[in-house]
Amino acid sequence: MQPVLALLPPLLLLPLVYTGQPQDQRMVRTMPSSLDEGETCYCVVHLPKSVLLQQLEQLQGTTQELVSKFKQVLSMVGAFVPAIKGHNNQVLKVSHMLKSRNSSVLTLSSEPSTFDQLHLELERVQNLLTQLNANGGVSGARYLLHQLQSQVTNISLTLKLLADADQSSFRALQRQVDILEAQLQECEREREQETYRHRGPFLPPGSCSCGSLQKVSRPFVVKLNWRGFSYKAGSWGRDSAPNRTSSLYWVAPLSADGRYFDYYRLYKSYDDLVLLKNYKEQKMGYGDGSGNAVYNNFMYFNYYGSNDMAKVDLASNTLVLQRPLPGATYNDRFSYAGVPWKALDFAVDEKGLWVLYATEGSRGNLVISRLNASTLEVEKTWHTRQYKPALSGAFMACGVLYTLRSLSTRQEEIFYAFDTATGQEQHLSIILDKMLETLQGINYCPLDQKLYVFNDGYLINYDLTFLKCELPRLPTKRPSKAYAPQKPVSAPKLSMP
């Protein structure tokens, strides 16, 4: 018999065995295979003369059938791999959605279709794998099927964990909402009770008819200053122009060392400030400390390294006036406790522009001077009996000086008031909560009766409540020990994690 040329797939090598008469049975001798240009494997087989052509044709038919089944299984597996990848991408998208979701998670529980659909898809994939394992008898596909089975198992476990975590997060968030609602209701009850206890009518905003400070709201954290957390010292506020339609906001963080005033930003509205848009950033270059104030589109501050008062036109960022403050100390002499380099502290209220400072003649006690906003000339001066380095800050409202002292890293106390209209003093005890330890800049705005506070890099404001009343007159005798000058007290340091 002539040599027979058989076409076999490259992955399938089958020995051909002769099944003729017992006396002629023997293994068929095979020769090495070879590939042609079309990647077809040719095997040359020398058969004994007694092998029947019918048996050879049957064997070749069986081989072709196995090859066809193998190709079918491989095509099914090839089509299944992109489906697994698509499901895996879906799971990743769901995981990212759960991590980045906000308050809208409250409505997620009413829309569980995403997880249900993924579960159904994974069940169909699992059924398909089971069928492939049962029908795919070719050993070459077993490893790939095993890998796919592992991927499906991992995806199912991940989906279960995500679903469990989503339910747990929703329940925890719902508990937090319930707690906040209860606290809000309690605050409303306290406010109503406090209103009922008031002994006189409230003053309209901006009015100063014998109005004294009655209480301070909780702090409202607006945002971190635009230069970042490393810039802890500075000041901010709203332009206290007589024009009540003014909505200019300003932020003036100091350099990282807490002294040098070099940049500031102006915002046309409160929304622009919160969203950090539509701002105008200017370089200053000669400011000292965080005693800044803005009045009628001019910024007032301490000129660097001196006791000079400086006035800058915000429209052009031009220094228009510089004048020394007679007798005022400077270069960190008699600054506030925990707030260095604040020798001159400018303030604005319903009465106009003020400056708070200390002198050697006052032995460090706080001095109040009312200024002419145009010329920076001192119009009138008052001396208090409060030692400035023992105070944590001060502000003016309706011509009344209010001073603060630190009680802890989380609370301040407004404990003293001095009315420049009558010369009367008053002891107070109004608690002011704070987010972080040090209040570097405190500015009162008469337009909205708010305190704008720069608290260790964060912009915070407070609502003030004024009540019609008359300040009780203190005895005119010499100061007691309670008013005697005290040594500076260092504020406790805040331990940050």
Side-chain angles (χ1 to χ4, degrees), residues 312-343:
V312 166
D313 184 356
L314 296 179
S316 60
N317 192 38
T318 304
L319 180 66
V320 296
L321 187 60
Q322 181 178 351
R323 179 187 293 273
L325 181 60
T329 58
Y330 59 97
N331 280 349
D332 209 24
R333 177 68 168 163
F334 297 132
S335 188
Y336 293 120
V339 187
W341 311 110
K342 198 168 181 179

PDB file of all heavy atoms in Angstrom, residues 312-343:
ATOM      1  N   VAL A 312      -5.105 100.801  52.236  1.00  0.00           N
ATOM      2  CA  VAL A 312      -4.947 100.365  50.848  1.00  0.00           C
ATOM      3  C   VAL A 312      -6.292 100.434  50.149  1.00  0.00           C
ATOM      4  O   VAL A 312      -7.314  99.973  50.681  1.00  0.00           O
ATOM      5  CB  VAL A 312      -4.368  98.939  50.775  1.00  0.00           C
ATOM      6  CG1 VAL A 312      -4.524  98.357  49.385  1.00  0.00           C
ATOM      7  CG2 VAL A 312      -2.891  98.950  51.158  1.00  0.00           C
ATOM      8  N   ASP A 313      -6.295 101.004  48.962  1.00  0.00           N
ATOM      9  CA  ASP A 313      -7.491 101.038  48.119  1.00  0.00           C
ATOM     10  C   ASP A 313      -7.631  99.672  47.442  1.00  0.00           C
ATOM     11  O   ASP A 313      -6.791  99.270  46.632  1.00  0.00           O
ATOM     12  CB  ASP A 313      -7.340 102.135  47.067  1.00  0.00           C
ATOM     13  CG  ASP A 313      -8.593 102.301  46.211  1.00  0.00           C
ATOM     14  OD1 ASP A 313      -9.542 101.513  46.388  1.00  0.00           O
ATOM     15  OD2 ASP A 313      -8.604 103.218  45.370  1.00  0.00           O
ATOM     16  N   LEU A 314      -8.687  98.945  47.761  1.00  0.00           N
ATOM     17  CA  LEU A 314      -8.856  97.597  47.218  1.00  0.00           C
ATOM     18  C   LEU A 314      -9.156  97.597  45.725  1.00  0.00           C
ATOM     19  O   LEU A 314      -8.918  96.603  45.043  1.00  0.00           O
ATOM     20  CB  LEU A 314      -9.979  96.873  47.972  1.00  0.00           C
ATOM     21  CG  LEU A 314      -9.724  96.620  49.454  1.00  0.00           C
ATOM     22  CD1 LEU A 314     -10.924  95.908  50.076  1.00  0.00           C
ATOM     23  CD2 LEU A 314      -8.453  95.828  49.670  1.00  0.00           C
ATOM     24  N   ALA A 315      -9.680  98.691  45.218  1.00  0.00           N
ATOM     25  CA  ALA A 315      -9.987  98.748  43.783  1.00  0.00           C
ATOM     26  C   ALA A 315      -8.727  98.709  42.936  1.00  0.00           C
ATOM     27  O   ALA A 315      -8.727  98.148  41.839  1.00  0.00           O
ATOM     28  CB  ALA A 315     -10.793 100.004  43.474  1.00  0.00           C
ATOM     29  N   SER A 316      -7.642  99.302  43.444  1.00  0.00           N
ATOM     30  CA  SER A 316      -6.391  99.358  42.674  1.00  0.00           C
ATOM     31  C   SER A 316      -5.220  98.695  43.381  1.00  0.00           C
ATOM     32  O   SER A 316      -4.122  98.666  42.846  1.00  0.00           O
ATOM     33  CB  SER A 316      -6.037 100.815  42.385  1.00  0.00           C
ATOM     34  OG  SER A 316      -5.863 101.537  43.604  1.00  0.00           O
ATOM     35  N   ASN A 317      -5.441  98.181  44.605  1.00  0.00           N
ATOM     36  CA  ASN A 317      -4.374  97.592  45.415  1.00  0.00           C
ATOM     37  C   ASN A 317      -3.219  98.578  45.591  1.00  0.00           C
ATOM     38  O   ASN A 317      -2.041  98.238  45.456  1.00  0.00           O
ATOM     39  CB  ASN A 317      -3.870  96.287  44.778  1.00  0.00           C
ATOM     40  CG  ASN A 317      -2.973  95.502  45.719  1.00  0.00           C
ATOM     41  OD1 ASN A 317      -3.217  95.451  46.923  1.00  0.00           O
ATOM     42  ND2 ASN A 317      -1.925  94.906  45.178  1.00  0.00           N
ATOM     43  N   THR A 318      -3.567  99.801  45.929  1.00  0.00           N
ATOM     44  CA  THR A 318      -2.584 100.869  46.068  1.00  0.00           C
ATOM     45  C   THR A 318      -2.566 101.382  47.500  1.00  0.00           C
ATOM     46  O   THR A 318      -3.624 101.635  48.096  1.00  0.00           O
ATOM     47  CB  THR A 318      -2.921 102.038  45.124  1.00  0.00           C
ATOM     48  OG1 THR A 318      -3.001 101.550  43.782  1.00  0.00           O
ATOM     49  CG2 THR A 318      -1.846 103.113  45.208  1.00  0.00           C
ATOM     50  N   LEU A 319      -1.364 101.538  48.055  1.00  0.00           N
ATOM     51  CA  LEU A 319      -1.212 102.123  49.377  1.00  0.00           C
ATOM     52  C   LEU A 319      -1.462 103.625  49.261  1.00  0.00           C
ATOM     53  O   LEU A 319      -0.673 104.360  48.663  1.00  0.00           O
ATOM     54  CB  LEU A 319       0.188 101.845  49.924  1.00  0.00           C
ATOM     55  CG  LEU A 319       0.492 102.399  51.319  1.00  0.00           C
ATOM     56  CD1 LEU A 319      -0.360 101.711  52.376  1.00  0.00           C
ATOM     57  CD2 LEU A 319       1.982 102.220  51.646  1.00  0.00           C
ATOM     58  N   VAL A 320      -2.558 104.084  49.851  1.00  0.00           N
ATOM     59  CA  VAL A 320      -2.941 105.485  49.700  1.00  0.00           C
ATOM     60  C   VAL A 320      -2.603 106.321  50.924  1.00  0.00           C
ATOM     61  O   VAL A 320      -2.569 107.557  50.833  1.00  0.00           O
ATOM     62  CB  VAL A 320      -4.451 105.599  49.397  1.00  0.00           C
ATOM     63  CG1 VAL A 320      -4.770 104.952  48.059  1.00  0.00           C
ATOM     64  CG2 VAL A 320      -5.283 104.963  50.505  1.00  0.00           C
ATOM     65  N   LEU A 321      -2.337 105.667  52.070  1.00  0.00           N
ATOM     66  CA  LEU A 321      -2.057 106.446  53.274  1.00  0.00           C
ATOM     67  C   LEU A 321      -1.288 105.594  54.274  1.00  0.00           C
ATOM     68  O   LEU A 321      -1.558 104.398  54.419  1.00  0.00           O
ATOM     69  CB  LEU A 321      -3.367 106.936  53.912  1.00  0.00           C
ATOM     70  CG  LEU A 321      -3.252 107.901  55.091  1.00  0.00           C
ATOM     71  CD1 LEU A 321      -2.530 109.179  54.678  1.00  0.00           C
ATOM     72  CD2 LEU A 321      -4.640 108.228  55.648  1.00  0.00           C
ATOM     73  N   GLN A 322      -0.316 106.236  54.929  1.00  0.00           N
ATOM     74  CA  GLN A 322       0.460 105.580  55.983  1.00  0.00           C
ATOM     75  C   GLN A 322       0.725 106.610  57.081  1.00  0.00           C
ATOM     76  O   GLN A 322       1.281 107.673  56.828  1.00  0.00           O
ATOM     77  CB  GLN A 322       1.784 105.038  55.422  1.00  0.00           C
ATOM     78  CG  GLN A 322       2.650 104.324  56.452  1.00  0.00           C
ATOM     79  CD  GLN A 322       3.930 103.759  55.843  1.00  0.00           C
ATOM     80  OE1 GLN A 322       4.107 103.754  54.614  1.00  0.00           O
ATOM     81  NE2 GLN A 322       4.834 103.314  56.693  1.00  0.00           N
ATOM     82  N   ARG A 323       0.303 106.292  58.317  1.00  0.00           N
ATOM     83  CA  ARG A 323       0.410 107.258  59.407  1.00  0.00           C
ATOM     84  C   ARG A 323       0.750 106.510  60.696  1.00  0.00           C
ATOM     85  O   ARG A 323       0.148 105.475  61.004  1.00  0.00           O
ATOM     86  CB  ARG A 323      -0.902 108.014  59.563  1.00  0.00           C
ATOM     87  CG  ARG A 323      -0.899 109.042  60.696  1.00  0.00           C
ATOM     88  CD  ARG A 323      -2.296 109.634  60.895  1.00  0.00           C
ATOM     89  NE  ARG A 323      -2.696 110.435  59.764  1.00  0.00           N
ATOM     90  CZ  ARG A 323      -2.410 111.737  59.625  1.00  0.00           C
ATOM     91  NH1 ARG A 323      -1.700 112.360  60.564  1.00  0.00           N
ATOM     92  NH2 ARG A 323      -2.813 112.405  58.581  1.00  0.00           N
ATOM     93  N   PRO A 324       1.703 107.013  61.511  1.00  0.00           N
ATOM     94  CA  PRO A 324       2.032 106.358  62.785  1.00  0.00           C
ATOM     95  C   PRO A 324       0.922 106.555  63.811  1.00  0.00           C
ATOM     96  O   PRO A 324       0.217 107.573  63.812  1.00  0.00           O
ATOM     97  CB  PRO A 324       3.323 107.045  63.217  1.00  0.00           C
ATOM     98  CG  PRO A 324       3.277 108.385  62.542  1.00  0.00           C
ATOM     99  CD  PRO A 324       2.587 108.165  61.234  1.00  0.00           C
ATOM    100  N   LEU A 325       0.754 105.546  64.675  1.00  0.00           N
ATOM    101  CA  LEU A 325      -0.204 105.629  65.775  1.00  0.00           C
ATOM    102  C   LEU A 325       0.568 106.039  67.032  1.00  0.00           C
ATOM    103  O   LEU A 325       1.384 105.259  67.539  1.00  0.00           O
ATOM    104  CB  LEU A 325      -0.895 104.287  65.980  1.00  0.00           C
ATOM    105  CG  LEU A 325      -1.953 104.225  67.082  1.00  0.00           C
ATOM    106  CD1 LEU A 325      -3.082 105.217  66.793  1.00  0.00           C
ATOM    107  CD2 LEU A 325      -2.506 102.808  67.204  1.00  0.00           C
ATOM    108  N   PRO A 326       0.364 107.239  67.536  1.00  0.00           N
ATOM    109  CA  PRO A 326       1.190 107.753  68.637  1.00  0.00           C
ATOM    110  C   PRO A 326       1.183 106.846  69.863  1.00  0.00           C
ATOM    111  O   PRO A 326       0.128 106.469  70.376  1.00  0.00           O
ATOM    112  CB  PRO A 326       0.545 109.112  68.959  1.00  0.00           C
ATOM    113  CG  PRO A 326      -0.152 109.504  67.702  1.00  0.00           C
ATOM    114  CD  PRO A 326      -0.638 108.228  67.094  1.00  0.00           C
ATOM    115  N   GLY A 327       2.389 106.487  70.310  1.00  0.00           N
ATOM    116  CA  GLY A 327       2.562 105.707  71.533  1.00  0.00           C
ATOM    117  C   GLY A 327       2.321 104.226  71.417  1.00  0.00           C
ATOM    118  O   GLY A 327       2.597 103.475  72.376  1.00  0.00           O
ATOM    119  N   ALA A 328       1.806 103.767  70.297  1.00  0.00           N
ATOM    120  CA  ALA A 328       1.476 102.347  70.173  1.00  0.00           C
ATOM    121  C   ALA A 328       2.738 101.491  70.108  1.00  0.00           C
ATOM    122  O   ALA A 328       3.708 101.836  69.426  1.00  0.00           O
ATOM    123  CB  ALA A 328       0.637 102.114  68.924  1.00  0.00           C
ATOM    124  N   THR A 329       2.746 100.383  70.841  1.00  0.00           N
ATOM    125  CA  THR A 329       3.864  99.442  70.769  1.00  0.00           C
ATOM    126  C   THR A 329       3.713  98.591  69.509  1.00  0.00           C
ATOM    127  O   THR A 329       2.620  98.476  68.930  1.00  0.00           O
ATOM    128  CB  THR A 329       3.891  98.540  72.001  1.00  0.00           C
ATOM    129  OG1 THR A 329       2.644  97.837  72.096  1.00  0.00           O
ATOM    130  CG2 THR A 329       4.120  99.350  73.272  1.00  0.00           C
ATOM    131  N   TYR A 330       4.801  97.958  69.091  1.00  0.00           N
ATOM    132  CA  TYR A 330       4.776  97.160  67.872  1.00  0.00           C
ATOM    133  C   TYR A 330       5.830  96.067  67.971  1.00  0.00           C
ATOM    134  O   TYR A 330       6.490  95.907  69.004  1.00  0.00           O
ATOM    135  CB  TYR A 330       5.012  98.041  66.637  1.00  0.00           C
ATOM    136  CG  TYR A 330       6.316  98.806  66.635  1.00  0.00           C
ATOM    137  CD1 TYR A 330       7.432  98.314  65.964  1.00  0.00           C
ATOM    138  CD2 TYR A 330       6.438 100.026  67.307  1.00  0.00           C
ATOM    139  CE1 TYR A 330       8.633  99.016  65.955  1.00  0.00           C
ATOM    140  CE2 TYR A 330       7.634 100.727  67.297  1.00  0.00           C
ATOM    141  CZ  TYR A 330       8.731 100.215  66.632  1.00  0.00           C
ATOM    142  OH  TYR A 330       9.910 100.901  66.619  1.00  0.00           O
ATOM    143  N   ASN A 331       5.981  95.296  66.873  1.00  0.00           N
ATOM    144  CA  ASN A 331       6.917  94.162  66.822  1.00  0.00           C
ATOM    145  C   ASN A 331       6.664  93.168  67.952  1.00  0.00           C
ATOM    146  O   ASN A 331       7.558  92.777  68.700  1.00  0.00           O
ATOM    147  CB  ASN A 331       8.362  94.636  66.845  1.00  0.00           C
ATOM    148  CG  ASN A 331       8.836  95.119  65.488  1.00  0.00           C
ATOM    149  OD1 ASN A 331       8.148  94.914  64.466  1.00  0.00           O
ATOM    150  ND2 ASN A 331       9.976  95.783  65.450  1.00  0.00           N
ATOM    151  N   ASP A 332       5.406  92.743  68.076  1.00  0.00           N
ATOM    152  CA  ASP A 332       5.000  91.700  69.017  1.00  0.00           C
ATOM    153  C   ASP A 332       5.047  92.144  70.475  1.00  0.00           C
ATOM    154  O   ASP A 332       5.017  91.318  71.382  1.00  0.00           O
ATOM    155  CB  ASP A 332       5.833  90.429  68.833  1.00  0.00           C
ATOM    156  CG  ASP A 332       5.061  89.169  69.214  1.00  0.00           C
ATOM    157  OD1 ASP A 332       3.821  89.206  69.175  1.00  0.00           O
ATOM    158  OD2 ASP A 332       5.700  88.159  69.553  1.00  0.00           O
ATOM    159  N   ARG A 333       5.134  93.425  70.732  1.00  0.00           N
ATOM    160  CA  ARG A 333       5.106  93.940  72.099  1.00  0.00           C
ATOM    161  C   ARG A 333       3.645  94.068  72.541  1.00  0.00           C
ATOM    162  O   ARG A 333       2.852  94.753  71.884  1.00  0.00           O
ATOM    163  CB  ARG A 333       5.800  95.306  72.139  1.00  0.00           C
ATOM    164  CG  ARG A 333       5.783  96.005  73.493  1.00  0.00           C
ATOM    165  CD  ARG A 333       6.617  95.305  74.512  1.00  0.00           C
ATOM    166  NE  ARG A 333       6.808  96.146  75.701  1.00  0.00           N
ATOM    167  CZ  ARG A 333       7.210  95.660  76.865  1.00  0.00           C
ATOM    168  NH1 ARG A 333       7.483  94.359  77.003  1.00  0.00           N
ATOM    169  NH2 ARG A 333       7.353  96.472  77.891  1.00  0.00           N
ATOM    170  N   PHE A 334       3.275  93.431  73.628  1.00  0.00           N
ATOM    171  CA  PHE A 334       1.920  93.448  74.174  1.00  0.00           C
ATOM    172  C   PHE A 334       0.887  92.932  73.162  1.00  0.00           C
ATOM    173  O   PHE A 334      -0.179  93.527  72.976  1.00  0.00           O
ATOM    174  CB  PHE A 334       1.522  94.858  74.632  1.00  0.00           C
ATOM    175  CG  PHE A 334       2.365  95.399  75.748  1.00  0.00           C
ATOM    176  CD1 PHE A 334       2.896  96.683  75.675  1.00  0.00           C
ATOM    177  CD2 PHE A 334       2.640  94.644  76.871  1.00  0.00           C
ATOM    178  CE1 PHE A 334       3.668  97.199  76.700  1.00  0.00           C
ATOM    179  CE2 PHE A 334       3.412  95.142  77.912  1.00  0.00           C
ATOM    180  CZ  PHE A 334       3.929  96.422  77.819  1.00  0.00           C
ATOM    181  N   SER A 335       1.195  91.822  72.520  1.00  0.00           N
ATOM    182  CA  SER A 335       0.214  91.214  71.629  1.00  0.00           C
ATOM    183  C   SER A 335      -0.742  90.332  72.440  1.00  0.00           C
ATOM    184  O   SER A 335      -0.546  90.103  73.631  1.00  0.00           O
ATOM    185  CB  SER A 335       0.909  90.371  70.557  1.00  0.00           C
ATOM    186  OG  SER A 335      -0.008  89.927  69.584  1.00  0.00           O
ATOM    187  N   TYR A 336      -1.793  89.849  71.788  1.00  0.00           N
ATOM    188  CA  TYR A 336      -2.760  88.992  72.463  1.00  0.00           C
ATOM    189  C   TYR A 336      -2.131  87.649  72.839  1.00  0.00           C
ATOM    190  O   TYR A 336      -1.141  87.202  72.225  1.00  0.00           O
ATOM    191  CB  TYR A 336      -3.970  88.732  71.561  1.00  0.00           C
ATOM    192  CG  TYR A 336      -4.826  89.937  71.276  1.00  0.00           C
ATOM    193  CD1 TYR A 336      -5.014  90.393  69.975  1.00  0.00           C
ATOM    194  CD2 TYR A 336      -5.468  90.618  72.306  1.00  0.00           C
ATOM    195  CE1 TYR A 336      -5.815  91.482  69.702  1.00  0.00           C
ATOM    196  CE2 TYR A 336      -6.266  91.727  72.055  1.00  0.00           C
ATOM    197  CZ  TYR A 336      -6.428  92.157  70.749  1.00  0.00           C
ATOM    198  OH  TYR A 336      -7.213  93.255  70.482  1.00  0.00           O
ATOM    199  N   ALA A 337      -2.713  86.989  73.821  1.00  0.00           N
ATOM    200  CA  ALA A 337      -2.220  85.678  74.253  1.00  0.00           C
ATOM    201  C   ALA A 337      -2.418  84.653  73.142  1.00  0.00           C
ATOM    202  O   ALA A 337      -3.525  84.454  72.644  1.00  0.00           O
ATOM    203  CB  ALA A 337      -2.971  85.231  75.511  1.00  0.00           C
ATOM    204  N   GLY A 338      -1.342  83.996  72.746  1.00  0.00           N
ATOM    205  CA  GLY A 338      -1.411  82.973  71.703  1.00  0.00           C
ATOM    206  C   GLY A 338      -1.519  83.506  70.300  1.00  0.00           C
ATOM    207  O   GLY A 338      -1.584  82.728  69.352  1.00  0.00           O
ATOM    208  N   VAL A 339      -1.559  84.845  70.143  1.00  0.00           N
ATOM    209  CA  VAL A 339      -1.683  85.451  68.805  1.00  0.00           C
ATOM    210  C   VAL A 339      -0.550  86.466  68.647  1.00  0.00           C
ATOM    211  O   VAL A 339      -0.716  87.649  68.956  1.00  0.00           O
ATOM    212  CB  VAL A 339      -3.048  86.136  68.607  1.00  0.00           C
ATOM    213  CG1 VAL A 339      -3.202  86.598  67.168  1.00  0.00           C
ATOM    214  CG2 VAL A 339      -4.176  85.195  68.993  1.00  0.00           C
ATOM    215  N   PRO A 340       0.611  86.053  68.189  1.00  0.00           N
ATOM    216  CA  PRO A 340       1.747  86.987  68.074  1.00  0.00           C
ATOM    217  C   PRO A 340       1.578  87.965  66.917  1.00  0.00           C
ATOM    218  O   PRO A 340       0.740  87.784  66.030  1.00  0.00           O
ATOM    219  CB  PRO A 340       2.928  86.044  67.835  1.00  0.00           C
ATOM    220  CG  PRO A 340       2.330  84.838  67.184  1.00  0.00           C
ATOM    221  CD  PRO A 340       0.961  84.681  67.787  1.00  0.00           C
ATOM    222  N   TRP A 341       2.371  89.025  66.955  1.00  0.00           N
ATOM    223  CA  TRP A 341       2.487  90.022  65.887  1.00  0.00           C
ATOM    224  C   TRP A 341       1.185  90.796  65.646  1.00  0.00           C
ATOM    225  O   TRP A 341       0.991  91.353  64.572  1.00  0.00           O
ATOM    226  CB  TRP A 341       2.953  89.385  64.579  1.00  0.00           C
ATOM    227  CG  TRP A 341       4.145  88.520  64.726  1.00  0.00           C
ATOM    228  CD1 TRP A 341       4.211  87.162  64.618  1.00  0.00           C
ATOM    229  CD2 TRP A 341       5.477  88.945  65.046  1.00  0.00           C
ATOM    230  NE1 TRP A 341       5.476  86.704  64.853  1.00  0.00           N
ATOM    231  CE2 TRP A 341       6.294  87.793  65.116  1.00  0.00           C
ATOM    232  CE3 TRP A 341       6.075  90.198  65.299  1.00  0.00           C
ATOM    233  CZ2 TRP A 341       7.637  87.840  65.406  1.00  0.00           C
ATOM    234  CZ3 TRP A 341       7.421  90.233  65.591  1.00  0.00           C
ATOM    235  CH2 TRP A 341       8.193  89.070  65.636  1.00  0.00           C
ATOM    236  N   LYS A 342       0.316  90.854  66.633  1.00  0.00           N
ATOM    237  CA  LYS A 342      -0.931  91.592  66.459  1.00  0.00           C
ATOM    238  C   LYS A 342      -0.901  92.823  67.362  1.00  0.00           C
ATOM    239  O   LYS A 342      -1.647  92.937  68.336  1.00  0.00           O
ATOM    240  CB  LYS A 342      -2.128  90.702  66.782  1.00  0.00           C
ATOM    241  CG  LYS A 342      -3.440  91.237  66.221  1.00  0.00           C
ATOM    242  CD  LYS A 342      -4.530  90.191  66.310  1.00  0.00           C
ATOM    243  CE  LYS A 342      -5.833  90.694  65.727  1.00  0.00           C
ATOM    244  NZ  LYS A 342      -6.901  89.667  65.792  1.00  0.00           N
ATOM    245  N   ALA A 343      -0.011  93.763  67.010  1.00  0.00           N
ATOM    246  CA  ALA A 343       0.136  94.982  67.816  1.00  0.00           C
ATOM    247  C   ALA A 343      -1.034  95.922  67.603  1.00  0.00           C
ATOM    248  O   ALA A 343      -1.593  96.464  68.557  1.00  0.00           O
ATOM    249  CB  ALA A 343       1.454  95.677  67.473  1.00  0.00           C
TER     250      ALA A 343
END
